[in-house]
Structure formats: C-alpha cells, structure tokens
Amino acid sequence: MKVTILDIGPDEEEEIIFKCRALDDDMVKIINRFKQGGGKLTVYKNSEMFFIEPGEVFYFESVDQKVFAYCKSEVYQVKNKLYELLDELPGWTFVRISKSAILNLNKIKSLVPAFSGRYEALLKNGEKVIISRQYVGALKERLGI
C-alpha cells in the first residue's frame, strides 16, 4: 500500500482519496474512522461519564455481560458490546484474543507461550492476559511473526 501526503494551501479544502481494487472490511473501517473524526470512547465509573482516547486502553474484557476498559491504572465500564468495539476501534491496533477480550497491540511488552497452545501477553502496565489458542494465529499474523 502506498501512502501519499500533499501539502495544500490555506484556501484549499482537505481531502482524502482512497484508490483500491476492492473495498474490503479493513478499508471500510478506515473510512468510517475518518468520517467519525478523532473519536473518543465514552466510558463510565461510579456513575460518572468520561471520554478517553482508544489508545489509552490496554484491553477490553466482557464479564457477566458487562464490558470493561482496562487502562494503565483505571478500569471503566463501556456500554458497547465487544463486537461493536471491534467495528469502531482501529483494526490495526486492536485484536480479539478470546471470546471475552480485545487487546491493544501497542500495549504488549512481551509474549510467552503458555500451556495448551495459548500465549500469555505481559502488558506495559504489568498486567498479564491470556490469548486463547484459537486467536493465537490471527495475533501472530497481525504482529508479523
């Protein structure tokens, strides 16, 4: 994929042009992301509403039909379902690692093989999360290993 960035004059309108053979799911997600703008996540804690950048989230986890966003030192509740988050979040940064979790690839410090074909990810905040064996292949592909 080729990326071209052009400087424009102050009176010209900013424009994004996608040239592709076919409009696949990843392209649609990128286009939707641009249409939505920077896009902060709406999260909740103790009946307060907060707005955070998706990049602040280390991982999302679904527990008892509630979804939580785990940040460096805070945990927030999210009203979205995991599959909705996967559609909204940048696909090149977030990946599903189990039926109940989504991981921010930028927050991985190291990966260690675990038993039964699973992997354990040590995150930059010191937490550990397990990658289910059925999602290990997709994770490796995304990381290029």
Side-chain angles (χ1 to χ4, degrees):
M1 176 187 299
K2 179 174 94 172
V3 176
T4 305
I5 300 173
L6 303 172
D7 288 327
I8 59 173
D11 57 336
E12 292 181 82
E13 183 179 1
E14 292 179 336
E15 175 184 32
I16 297 174
I17 299 171
F18 286 94
K19 291 170 65 175
C20 56
R21 288 182 187 81
L23 198 58
D24 61 10
D25 288 341
D26 288 335
M27 281 291 219
V28 170
K29 286 179 184 178
I30 292 169
I31 292 167
N32 288 336
R33 186 73 177 158
F34 279 114
K35 286 181 180 178
Q36 294 170 0
K40 291 196 175 206
L41 288 171
T42 304
V43 295
Y44 303 87
K45 184 172 186 175
N46 299 329
S47 12
E48 288 184 73
M49 183 186 304
F50 299 91
F51 302 97
I52 62 171
E53 294 289 336
E56 293 179 46
V57 179
F58 281 69
Y59 65 98
F60 294 94
E61 184 177 35
S62 177
V63 179
D64 295 332
Q65 298 185 3
K66 293 180 183 177
V67 177
F68 297 94
Y70 294 81
C71 298
K72 185 171 185 173
S73 59
E74 297 287 336
V75 178
Y76 301 99
Q77 186 173 352
V78 182
K79 300 289 181 182
N80 306 63
K81 303 286 184 203
L82 287 178
Y83 71 88
E84 294 170 334
L85 288 168
L86 275 176
D87 286 340
E88 293 174 18
L89 295 168
W92 57 89
T93 305
F94 290 88
V95 64
R96 189 145 212 167
I97 58 166
S98 71
K99 289 182 180 179
S100 61
I102 299 171
L103 178 63
N104 183 344
L105 297 176
N106 294 329
K107 302 298 184 182
I108 298 174
K109 185 174 182 178
S110 65
L111 286 172
V112 178
F115 58 93
S116 300
R118 297 188 289 176
Y119 270 70
E120 183 178 81
L122 174 62
L123 306 181
K124 292 178 181 177
N125 66 351
E127 286 192 57
K128 294 179 182 180
V129 293
I130 297 292
I131 295 112
S132 297
R133 66 179 179 205
Q134 55 202 97
Y135 294 93
V136 167
L139 176 68
K140 284 182 173 182
E141 182 179 322
R142 187 70 61 81
L143 293 173
I145 54 174

